[in-house]
Amino acid sequence: ETGVTQTPRHLVMGMTNKKSLKCEQHLGHNAMYWYKQSAKKPLELMFVYNFKEQTENNSVPSRFSPECPNSSHLFLHLHTLQPEDSALYLCASSQDWQGPNEKLFFGSGTQLSVL
Amino acid sequence: EDQVTQSPEALRLQEGESSSLNCSYTVSGLRGLFWYRQDPGKGPEFLFTLYSAGEEKEKERLKATLTKKESFLHITAPKPEDSATYLCAVQAGTDKLIFGTGTRLQVFP
């Protein structure tokens, strides 16, 4: 496989559930990102990992917990979410962490619905 | 406050009808402006990066231009397969990437 792969594509969960989103990149990149995309809102950066180390946490509630075991894999653990957390969650990677020449490669996203 | 505004929110074109999408920005210390295309059910796909006023880049029917306050994405003789949401993002001096809300383009045969 090539590019950035996200699973699952769709997820429906109750507010008391615990679930995880998975992202894998096959591009040899060093930086990985989680973004949230809600209707009619700009993409919101949630977390950044550079060489497996978290370099950015954009004031994200603790019910979202990222994990980056290596430069190719990124997880987003979800627990006790709220209905307003329903959105498209996008994983992205770049060669390095958002330097001036960095372009992002996105996965297809996980469409999350919280009931 | 750093801000990126895209207009129009939605645009409907007839096939072959050329038009432009606008991305205006107010940021401190522009390091780069990016255009992405997003198809339904997919993540954004990189199109262009522009770094300084006066710069232009082209790809097939698309041409991106940059001034000190805004960028335009010109679409010449669009085809239905150009239908997508086009996102603009600006990298400011803080290195943060700020996205606009996008323009949803529909091209009808």
Side-chain angles (χ1 to χ4, degrees), chain A residues 16-31:
Chain A
T16 58
N17 292 159
K18 289 184 181 181
K19 297 286 184 183
S20 296
L21 310 185
K22 179 183 176 182
C23 176
E24 184 174 0
Q25 59 98 358
H26 307 270
L27 300 168
H29 289 167
N30 299 315

Side-chain angles (χ1 to χ4, degrees), chain A residues 3-15:
Chain A
V4 180
T5 305
Q6 287 188 246
T7 55
R9 290 297 309 275
H10 302 273
L11 179 62
V12 179
M13 58 188 289
M15 290 191 285

Side-chain angles (χ1 to χ4, degrees), chain A residues 36-102:
Chain A
K36 176 183 179 181
Q37 187 173 37
S38 304
K40 299 198 174 184
K41 287 187 175 181
L43 266 72
E44 297 175 51
L45 178 64
M46 300 175 71
F47 301 103
V48 180
Y49 279 82
N50 194 36
F51 290 99
K52 303 188 302 177
E53 299 298 321
Q54 188 179 122
T55 56
E56 191 97 8
N57 176 338
N58 238 18
S59 303
V60 180
S62 59
R63 57 186 184 269
F64 295 91
S65 175
E67 179 189 359
C68 187
N70 54 60
S71 293
S72 299
H73 293 86
L74 186 64
F75 296 89
L76 188 62
H77 304 298
L78 316 171
H79 64 97
T80 58
L81 294 191
Q82 305 298 310
E84 59 264 29
D85 296 322
S86 299
L88 180 68
Y89 288 85
L90 291 162
C91 174
S93 71
S94 65
Q95 186 61 55
D96 292 297
W97 178 51
Q98 291 194 175
N101 297 312
E102 291 310 321

Side-chain angles (χ1 to χ4, degrees), chain B residues 37-66:
Chain B
R37 167 190 171 132
Q38 186 172 21
D39 292 299
K42 293 191 174 182
E45 179 184 350
F46 173 81
L47 290 173
F48 304 109
T49 309
L50 301 167
Y51 294 106
S52 57
E55 189 175 359
E56 297 184 354
K57 289 197 175 170
E58 287 189 64
K59 180 180 180 179
E60 296 180 357
R61 295 176 292 282
L62 301 177
K63 183 169 81 171
T65 62
L66 181 64

